[in-house]
Amino acid sequence: MRKFLFIAILFFSIQLKAQQFFIKGNYPNFYISHQVLKGETFKSIGILYNLLPGTIANFNALTFTNDPVLSRVLKVPLSKSNFVQSKASNDKKSAPVYYTILSESLRELSAKFKLEPTLIAKWNPATNVATGNKIIVGFIKLAYPVTPPLAEPQPTGIDSALKQVYVPKSPSVRSMRTRPATDTIDIGGPLPVIANQPKETKQTTTPVIATEEAPKKVGGAGRLKVYVDCSNTWCDDNFIKTEINIVDFLLDRIAADVHVLITSQQNGSGGSQLQLIFYGQNKFKNLPDTLSYNIDPNATESERRDAIAKYIKLGLTPFILKTNYADDISIQMKQTSKNKTGENSNKSTTDKWNYWVFRLGASGNLSLDKIYKSNSYRSNISADRTTDKLKVNLGIYGNSNVSMYEYETPAGTEKLEVKNSSYGVNHGIVVSINQHWCYGYEANYTNSTFPNNKSRIYVSPAIEYAIFPYKMVNNKFLTLRYGVDFTRNKYYDTTVFNKTKESLFGHNLSLNLSLNQKWGNINSSVSYRNYFSDWTLNNLGIYLNVEVRITGGLSFYGYTFGGLTRDQIYLAKGGATEQEIWHTQ
C-alpha cells in the first residue's frame, strides 16, 4: 500500500509541475480549480492541498466518501491552512497563485485581495497593471514540491512605478503647471495616477496605473444582480431562485444589472409564446437580448416553469461570462433526438394536420341542498387553423342549467324550477395584409332561453389597423378596429319594443391598448356600437388596468371598468316574480 501511495504521489507531482493555479471567487471564499485524475479521492486531494477531505467535499456541495471522486473538476478552497499572502515563500512546496487582470487599478487589486500594493509590486516586479496580464496574489502550500522558489524581485515594472508615484505631498496648482511633462504627480489619493505623458511617447515597458484612458471591460468580480419581471405572466419565483443561485435576485429594477421582462401571448395552436427580454443596465447596458419559446397547449405547469428557468439561464449566460462566476456555467450542446436512420435531421418538418388544431371539452356540476338543487352541463368542440397570413376558427357549444327552489308561503311549501339552455355555432376568419393591416369577419348563430333569443344570426365584417407592427404584440399593442354588422333576431316572448322578430344593421368601433414595459403594464380598451335604425340604442364600454413599478417592492396598481348599456332590445315584455328576479342576480 505504501508503494502504491508513493507512486501515486509521484504521479500527481509530475502533473502539477506543468500546472498554474488561478484564483477564483470573492473574498473570503477564494478557491482554485483542480482537474480530478482517475482514481483520486477526497483524501488524496486533501493531502495534496493541506486540507481536510470533508472540507473540499462540503465546499463543492458533495457528500464525502472514500471512493474515487466522480466529478471532473473540484473547487479547492483557499484558507489560512494552505494559502499564504503575508510574504513571498521560498519553500519548494509552495506554488504561486495567479490572477488575470480585468480592468482593475492597483488600488482595486489591493482591496480585492486584501494585499498591500507594495507586496503586489514585490511579487510582480516586471509585470504591468494592464488588462489581460497575470499577477501573483498569494502562494498555495502543497504537500509535494511543484515549482522552484520565487526569484528575488528586480526594481522594474510595478515596483519602480510605486517608487515614482509615492511622493510626500500633492503639488500645488502652480507647481503642477511648472513641472516637466515627464514628471509624475500625486493627485492626493492613496494610489495616484501617472499623468502628463507626452503624446509622442509610446509606453511599451512603463506600466499605466489607473489612468482614465485605460480600457474598461464590462462586468466585474461581483455577483450579477438580476430583476425578474413576471407581471404579465405567471412565474415560479422560488423555483427560479433555486435553479439559479450564482446571481443575486433584487426587488429593485433600477439597481439590477439585468432586467428580465417575461411576457406571454396566446398563439393560434392554443398554447402560448413566451418572450424573454434581457435589458442590460448600468455597466451591462450595451448587452440587450431577446429570446422566444412556444409552450405546447398540453404542457404541464412543471414543464412550463422548467422552460422559463431554462431560457432565463440561456439569456443570463452572456452577462455571467463577464463576472468571476463564469466557471460555474455548464453548457451542453448535444442533440438527443434522431430520425429513423439514426442521423440527425436538418430538414424542416411538415405539419400533417395542415396547422389545424381540434379541441373537445365537457364539464358539469351538481349541487344538492334541502331547499335548493341545481345541475349544469357544458360541452364544446372547436377547430382552429393559424398561419402568419390566415386565421380560421370554428366552434360549437351547448349548455344546460336547471335550478329548483323550495320556499314557504301562507298556503304551504312551494317549489320553483328554472330551466335555461343555450347552444350555438361561432365562425371567424382573419386575413393579414401586412404588419399593420388585417381584415376579416365574425359570424355566429345562437339560441338562448335566458336572454329571450329563440334564434340570433349575427354577421360582422371588419378591418383593423395596428399602430405598432403585429410582431411587437408581446411588448406593445395598439389597434383600431371598425366593422359593420347585421343581426337577425327571433324571440320567445314579445320584447319591450313589441317585437317577436326583427332585422337590424349597425356598426362597431374599438380601440385596444396593451403595453408590457420595464416600468410596468397597461391594458386598456374602449368599445362602442349602435344600430343605424335608432342611434340611441347604443353600448359603450371602458376598461383600464395599470401597474407601474416605482422602486424596489413598491408599485402602483389601478383597475377600473364601466359601461353604458342601452341596446338590450331582447328584453321580454311583462313582469317577473320575486323568485325569478332573485335567480337572475
Side-chain angles (χ1 to χ4, degrees):
M1 180 66 183
R2 292 181 179 178
K3 291 182 179 180
F4 172 78
L5 181 61
F6 174 79
I7 294 173
I9 290 172
L10 179 61
F11 177 71
F12 297 153
S13 178
I14 293 173
Q15 292 292 322
L16 288 171
K17 283 184 179 180
Q19 179 180 349
Q20 287 186 332
F21 300 102
F22 285 86
I23 194 168
K24 300 175 183 178
N26 295 309
Y27 180 84
N29 297 315
F30 291 126
Y31 66 91
I32 62 171
S33 294
H34 173 78
Q35 187 74 34
V36 179
L37 302 175
K38 186 176 181 180
E40 280 189 305
T41 64
F42 284 116
K43 184 176 181 180
S44 64
I45 298 172
I47 293 174
L48 179 61
Y49 293 107
N50 290 295
L51 290 172
L52 294 174
T55 301
I56 299 177
N58 293 335
F59 195 81
N60 290 270
L62 298 174
T63 302
F64 169 69
T65 66
N66 291 319
D67 299 324
V69 178
L70 299 179
S71 300
R72 293 186 178 181
V73 178
L74 284 181
K75 298 177 182 178
V76 178
L78 299 177
S79 62
K80 292 181 180 180
S81 63
N82 67 345
F83 188 49
V84 178
Q85 285 186 293
S86 58
K87 60 181 180 180
S89 174
N90 289 322
D91 187 353
K92 293 182 179 181
K93 294 183 180 180
S94 295
V97 179
Y98 294 93
Y99 173 73
T100 302
I101 301 173
L102 297 178
S103 61
E104 300 98 331
S105 65
L106 186 58
R107 181 193 309 179
E108 291 171 329
L109 292 171
S110 173
K112 181 174 184 176
F113 297 106
K114 310 302 180 185
L115 288 170
E116 290 293 331
T118 53
L119 201 54
I120 297 178
K122 182 179 181 181
W123 292 344
N124 304 274
T127 304
N128 298 334
V129 179
T131 301
N133 286 349
K134 294 188 306 181
I135 60 170
I136 299 174
V137 294
F139 297 84
I140 185 170
K141 294 189 295 184
L142 303 166
Y144 321 109
V146 296
T147 186
L150 185 70
E152 289 297 324
Q154 302 297 323
T156 59
I158 298 178
D159 188 47
S160 60
L162 283 174
K163 292 179 180 179
Q164 294 177 21
V165 298
Y166 280 121
V167 294
K169 291 184 180 180
S170 301
S172 63
V173 174
R174 182 175 180 180
S175 63
M176 289 174 63
R177 292 176 179 173
T178 57
R179 279 179 178 270
T182 55
D183 254 354
T184 58
I185 60 172
D186 187 346
I187 59 173
L191 289 175
V193 300
I194 296 176
N196 294 333
Q197 295 290 345
K199 293 183 179 180
E200 63 275 10
T201 302
K202 294 185 179 179
Q203 287 193 332
T204 55
T205 57
T206 306
V208 179
I209 302 180
T211 62
E212 295 182 0
E213 292 78 16
K216 295 293 182 181
K217 184 177 180 180
V218 176
R223 289 164 65 94
L224 188 71
K225 298 184 287 294
V226 179
Y227 175 77
V228 178
D229 185 353
C230 292
S231 55
N232 179 256
T233 187
W234 178 82
C235 296
D236 191 334
D237 294 334
N238 292 330
F239 179 77
I240 293 173
K241 293 176 181 178
T242 302
E243 290 295 299
I244 308 172
N245 59 12
I246 62 173
V247 304
D248 291 331
F249 291 97
L250 304 186
L251 293 177
D252 189 351
R253 67 181 183 89
I254 303 299
D257 296 321
V258 185
H259 182 147
V260 185
L261 177 61
I262 304 177
T263 63
S264 177
Q265 185 73 24
Q266 187 172 2
N267 55 32
S269 65
S272 59
Q273 183 192 56
L274 288 176
Q275 181 175 265
L276 295 84
I277 305 178
F278 297 82
Y279 295 100
Q281 301 183 156
N282 304 324
K283 54 190 175 183
F284 295 96
K285 61 183 179 180
N286 294 323
L287 290 175
D289 198 6
T290 301
L291 300 176
S292 297
Y293 179 74
N294 288 322
I295 304 291
D296 292 335
N298 58 348
T300 64
E301 288 297 333
S302 177
E303 292 172 331
R304 189 178 187 278
R305 73 174 189 175
D306 286 342
I308 292 176
K310 173 184 175 180
Y311 277 81
I312 291 178
K313 293 177 184 178
L314 291 173
L316 290 180
T317 299
F319 299 94
I320 299 176
L321 289 176
K322 303 295 182 180
T323 70
N324 283 349
Y325 289 82
D327 291 337
D328 295 317
I329 299 176
S330 176
I331 300 176
Q332 178 179 341
M333 293 186 180
K334 182 173 64 175
Q335 186 172 352
T336 56
S337 60
K338 297 184 178 181
N339 57 21
K340 293 181 179 180
T341 61
E343 298 177 355
N344 293 334
S345 175
N346 294 321
K347 297 180 179 179
S348 59
T349 58
T350 301
D351 187 349
K352 63 181 181 179
W353 294 99
N354 195 24
Y355 300 104
W356 282 101
V357 178
F358 301 92
R359 294 185 185 86
L360 177 65
S363 62
N365 64 277
L366 176 66
S367 178
L368 299 175
D369 197 271
K370 184 176 180 180
I371 62 173
Y372 170 73
K373 299 177 179 64
S374 70
N375 62 77
S376 63
Y377 305 97
R378 294 168 292 277
S379 61
N380 62 83
I381 183 172
S382 66
D384 302 274
R385 182 179 186 271
T386 302
T387 66
D388 57 346
K389 296 295 184 182
L390 179 67
K391 179 177 181 180
V392 181
N393 64 75
L394 176 66
I396 303 174
Y397 68 92
N399 302 321
S400 175
N401 297 275
V402 178
S403 300
M404 182 179 293
Y405 305 88
E406 292 185 3
Y407 57 97
E408 298 294 333
T409 67
T413 302
E414 297 285 343
K415 292 183 179 180
L416 173 66
E417 186 177 50
V418 179
K419 295 182 179 181
N420 283 303
S421 63
S422 64
Y423 59 86
V425 179
N426 298 318
H427 173 56
I429 291 179
V430 178
V431 180
S432 175
I433 302 174
N434 51 41
Q435 282 293 321
H436 292 276
W437 287 97
C438 69
Y439 67 93
Y441 71 86
E442 174 189 0
N444 58 64
Y445 170 84
T446 58
N447 171 286
S448 182
T449 57
F450 186 77
N452 192 28
N453 282 325
K454 190 173 184 179
S455 68
R456 180 176 185 268
I457 300 174
Y458 177 81
V459 180
S460 175
I463 189 168
E464 180 180 275
Y465 176 73
I467 306 299
F468 305 112
Y470 286 115
K471 64 182 179 181
M472 304 178 67
V473 64
N474 287 77
N475 299 103
K476 46 187 178 181
F477 180 73
L478 178 59
T479 61
L480 182 64
R481 180 181 182 273
Y482 176 78
V484 295
D485 54 68
F486 167 77
T487 306
R488 174 62 178 175
N489 292 335
K490 289 185 179 181
Y491 306 108
Y492 282 104
D493 298 322
T494 304
T495 68
V496 292
F497 294 94
N498 296 314
K499 301 285 187 178
T500 57
K501 60 182 179 180
E502 60 184 331
S503 298
L504 299 167
F505 289 91
H507 65 162
N508 53 82
L509 179 69
S510 63
L511 180 69
N512 295 278
L513 171 67
S514 177
L515 296 176
N516 299 305
Q517 302 295 316
K518 294 169 60 178
W519 46 261
N521 308 314
I522 294 180
N523 292 283
S524 178
S525 65
V526 179
S527 61
Y528 172 83
R529 73 180 305 272
N530 68 265
Y531 294 111
F532 291 142
S533 58
D534 187 349
W535 284 61
T536 61
L537 299 176
N538 53 50
N539 190 310
L540 175 66
I542 299 175
Y543 164 80
L544 177 63
N545 188 344
V546 179
E547 181 179 1
V548 178
R549 285 172 288 281
I550 300 174
T551 182
L554 179 62
S555 298
F556 168 79
Y557 177 78
Y559 172 79
T560 183
F561 71 95
L564 183 62
T565 304
R566 294 176 176 174
D567 60 349
Q568 293 177 302
I569 58 176
Y570 51 80
L571 294 177
K573 187 177 182 179
T577 65
E578 180 181 351
Q579 289 75 25
E580 289 174 331
I581 295 174
W582 181 82
H583 172 68
T584 60
Q585 293 179 344

